[in-house]
Amino acid sequence: MDRNNLPLKNITVCDFSWVGAGPIATNILGQFGANIIKIESRSKPEVLRKGYPFKDGKQGIERSGYFANRNPNKRSISLNMKVPEARDVVVRLIEKSDIVINNFRAGQMEKWNLGYEDVQKIKRDIIYVTMSIQGDKGPYSHSAGFGVTLNALVGFTHLTANPEGEPLGTGTSYTDHIAVPTHTLVGIMAALLNRDRTGAGQRVEVPQAQAAICLKPLDIMDYAANRRIQQPLGVRDANAAPHGVYKVLGYRKWIAIAVFSDDQWCVFKEAMGYPDWAEDDTFDTLSGRLDNQDILDQQIEKWTETQDGKQLQHRLMESGVPAGMVQDARATIEDPQLAQQDFWAYLDHPEVGITLYNKVPMRFSKTPAVMKTAAPLLGKHTREVLTDFLAYSDAEFEEMKNKKVFD
């Protein structure tokens, strides 16, 4: 697919975002054709450039798989924002941009005279996206944060534990990866549609904490309606039983099983061969199974630990009982369903070689997303962007180089 045929081919993004949520959002825009120009600094590199895992275990700002995953299809320019001429470069870039995006703490863009009011004077119809942790107003507006702290603030960590156990955490920066970028993308697309209709740009603020809360309304609504604070359930669910993870044959192998209805319970009993314990009236109803989950889970695991996990998963899925093996990264990459769906892409990176990337999960029938280039080397496109896209002369570029405009 030629990039010129993609739906966002005419959109240019001046991308100040870094780490997780912002780069994930601009990654998706880039796969649909947007021209993403990432503003970076060598003296203060993007945090994920120094983030594990590294190719062959060797650290280096061009070797992080974490950074690579979030930044394909982008161009990187390296600027020293402490030098006034660097802002001039940004101004010229904004003049040719449709979107400016950042996820700094509140006030950082204003320090460079690049807050919304400033940028609006540069480009009247600009869409200005800002994604600070807790929003630009309020007592905590200037606080910094990362996924682990945000997960805690919005209640994910409180609920991610075994019953009566200490918080375990989500195992990943769940808010960064899902809640914030998805809400940001919807905000951007709505603002673009409004600009097409009215000609007006606008500021789009996505406080990361609020985006995360929108993804988990149940505990909030339970307290608002009932003054009840929900407690962690581990892998259980208040609306299903059995609902858990059970050992199967093999070293450290488990299968997840979820039974949401009495009809599914009957099918599940058939799959188990109608053991005597399962025929007890206690387990006939959801409420009975919920009240006796410890016994239920113990009996089920006595059976599953004698089963081949993959075969059991297929048998249960074919019979209508939701089930899935607990897969690690290798099993996920080798998953035949994902391969059939053409989910993975392999791109050649100048430092680490051919590397696997995941594509966006949206399948367009006429204008499918494109994975064209691997994550950029830091500042690789500085000259290209300034001379080809921003029309600086070679002499002007060299003069700025001498003035240390490029970091």
Side-chain angles (χ1 to χ4, degrees), residues 315-370:
R315 287 208 323 268
L316 292 177
M317 290 172 63
E318 287 175 0
S319 64
V321 175
M325 284 293 292
V326 176
Q327 299 195 139
D328 56 19
R330 181 173 66 182
T332 303
I333 292 173
E334 295 174 349
D335 189 306
Q337 179 69 18
L338 294 172
Q340 184 74 30
Q341 294 275 315
D342 194 27
F343 181 62
W344 306 111
Y346 291 87
L347 302 175
D348 196 3
H349 186 278
E351 173 83 13
V352 302
I354 295 175
T355 308
L356 177 142
Y357 290 77
N358 64 269
K359 299 177 182 176
V360 294
M362 297 86 91
R363 299 285 175 267
F364 282 33
S365 61
K366 296 187 184 302
T367 57
V370 169

Side-chain angles (χ1 to χ4, degrees), residues 3 15 19 22-38 40 46 49 64-76 345-349 355-360 370-377 381:
R3 181 176 173 273
D15 186 2
V19 194
I24 290 173
T26 54
N27 171 17
I28 294 172
L29 296 175
Q31 290 190 50
F32 284 111
N35 175 25
I36 312 294
I37 299 175
K38 188 175 179 68
E40 296 198 77
E46 143 80 277
R49 283 192 179 275
S64 168
Y66 208 171
F67 176 84
N69 177 268
R70 281 146 179 74
N71 293 286
N73 285 12
K74 299 179 184 179
R75 291 189 285 178
S76 167
Y346 291 87
L347 302 175
D348 196 3
H349 186 278
T355 308
L356 177 142
Y357 290 77
N358 64 269
K359 299 177 182 176
V360 294
V370 169
M371 293 289 279
K372 191 173 182 180
T373 58
L377 300 179
H381 305 97

Side-chain angles (χ1 to χ4, degrees), residues 193-215:
L193 288 171
N194 184 70
R195 192 190 66 169
D196 288 348
R197 185 173 60 85
T198 67
Q202 59 186 304
R203 181 175 183 271
V204 178
E205 182 187 9
V206 186
Q208 297 191 30
Q210 294 174 32
I213 290 170
C214 288
L215 199 66

Side-chain angles (χ1 to χ4, degrees), residues 9-10 46 59 75 99 123 130 163 190 195 235 283 344 350:
K9 65 177 183 179
N10 294 323
E46 143 80 277
Q59 294 190 19
R75 291 189 285 178
I99 299 165
K123 183 78 181 293
T130 181
R195 192 190 66 169
V235 292
F283 302 116
W344 306 111

Side-chain angles (χ1 to χ4, degrees), residues 73-134:
N73 285 12
K74 299 179 184 179
R75 291 189 285 178
S76 167
I77 67 173
S78 180
L79 296 177
N80 179 3
M81 293 301 292
K82 295 178 181 176
V83 177
E85 287 85 348
R87 184 183 182 278
D88 297 338
V89 173
V90 174
V91 168
R92 193 178 289 199
L93 175 57
I94 290 172
E95 288 171 344
K96 302 192 70 170
S97 295
D98 301 275
I99 299 165
V100 174
I101 182 170
N102 82 87
N103 57 344
F104 297 134
R105 71 175 72 184
Q108 180 57 54
M109 293 294 281
E110 285 75 9
K111 290 180 180 176
W112 295 327
N113 294 321
L114 291 172
Y116 177 56
E117 302 301 326
D118 303 304
V119 170
Q120 198 180 25
K121 293 173 185 173
I122 300 167
K123 183 78 181 293
R124 191 70 185 169
D125 64 349
I126 198 74
I127 293 167
Y128 187 93
V129 183
T130 181
M131 312 159 59
S132 63
I133 289 291
Q134 299 199 57

